[in-house]
Amino acid sequence: METTSSAVAQAPAAEDGEPVPSARRTVDGYLRAPFPWYGLDEAFTGPRWLMQVGLSADGAVEHGSVGHGDEPSVRSEFAAGGDQDAKERFAVVVTVAANPVRRSADGTGLLEATSVSSAAWLAGVGLLSFTWPGQMDHSLRDDWLEQQTETAWVLADDVEGEDWSTLSLPVDGVPTPFHYRESEYGWVLAGTTKAGVHVGAYGRGMSAYGLGFAVVKDIAAYQG
């Protein structure tokens, strides 16, 4: 799978492992990006919040995520009889710069190309970051997460495979094909826009079928 950043598309974590509230995030990294950010279009009227950006090996902003709806906590599967999950309705949109293979800024190596698979992988791992089977001991979660991350990588590398279906959703008002899959943890989708970026998304409790995407006109509005 082609991606260039080790940063995961998820909310920054505090020392106790809980996501950092959006009020403590800034738009600085987003404003450095040389590409447009995507979010849900104006049909979505709920809360919007910043997450974080990912950097390439040479320090350039290469991808990032913005959230919509309820800010998710780490999901403990079937926790409280499922009540927690029922309250969390969110969709996170991941924007990935469409870059070819190129030399790093210091000329010491090559940076891999990005593709729709990059967006699919970041979305898949993002969903996993808020997921944790409730029957699992804390000490085993790292092993579980590593295994599931590898699975997300394999799935993202084969978006034309049978694990994915095709879903058409509006992007800037234009019907656009997306690769889409569901799991017990939520849904993931990924596609490419005409604006020269790849868009991924993941969510839970909010149907992907009614979503639309658009360029974010004012990223500062996501600070809340």
Side-chain angles (χ1 to χ4, degrees):
M1 206 279 295
E2 300 159 335
T3 188
T4 64
S5 176
S6 58
V8 175
Q10 64 184 54
E15 291 182 0
D16 59 3
E18 289 299 310
V20 175
S22 59
R24 292 165 57 188
R25 303 172 203 148
T26 70
V27 299
D28 294 352
Y30 295 88
L31 295 175
R32 289 171 46 206
F35 54 86
W37 294 104
Y38 273 81
L40 297 187
D41 62 19
E42 294 180 353
F44 176 79
T45 58
R48 297 172 184 254
W49 28 277
L50 296 176
M51 297 187 76
Q52 71 180 32
V53 300
L55 305 179
S56 65
D58 61 356
V61 176
E62 184 135 295
H63 64 79
S65 304
V66 292
H68 309 77
D70 304 320
E71 291 200 48
S73 56
V74 175
R75 174 190 176 187
S76 179
E77 189 179 6
F78 310 125
D83 291 344
Q84 176 181 337
D85 299 335
K87 294 177 182 178
E88 291 187 350
R89 300 179 64 256
F90 68 91
V92 172
V93 180
V94 183
T95 305
V96 184
N99 289 326
V101 175
R102 61 211 185 281
R103 285 203 170 276
S104 59
D106 60 9
T108 59
L110 294 177
L111 301 178
E112 293 183 353
T114 59
S115 69
V116 67
S117 288
S118 307
W121 182 73
L122 287 167
V125 174
L127 181 61
L128 287 174
S129 70
F130 296 114
T131 302
W132 177 19
Q135 71 274 18
M136 184 178 295
D137 184 85
H138 283 256
S139 62
L140 298 177
R141 184 172 189 257
D142 286 346
D143 291 339
W144 175 87
L145 191 57
E146 182 178 355
Q147 180 185 53
Q148 293 300 314
T149 299
E150 178 63 26
T151 298
W153 181 288
V154 172
L155 288 170
D157 217 22
D158 186 26
V159 291
E160 301 292 343
E162 61 182 14
D163 292 302
W164 298 84
S165 59
T166 300
L167 182 63
S168 179
L169 296 172
V171 176
D172 295 323
V174 179
T176 303
F178 284 87
H179 303 282
Y180 174 79
R181 69 179 177 86
E182 294 181 356
S183 73
E184 59 187 304
Y185 309 119
W187 52 263
V188 171
L189 59 79
T192 300
T193 77
K194 293 183 178 180
V197 297
H198 307 294
V199 171
Y202 62 91
R204 206 164 50 224
M206 186 185 297
S207 173
Y209 287 84
L211 301 182
F213 304 97
V215 170
V216 176
K217 297 178 180 178
D218 180 13
I219 191 65
Y222 276 78
Q223 287 191 108

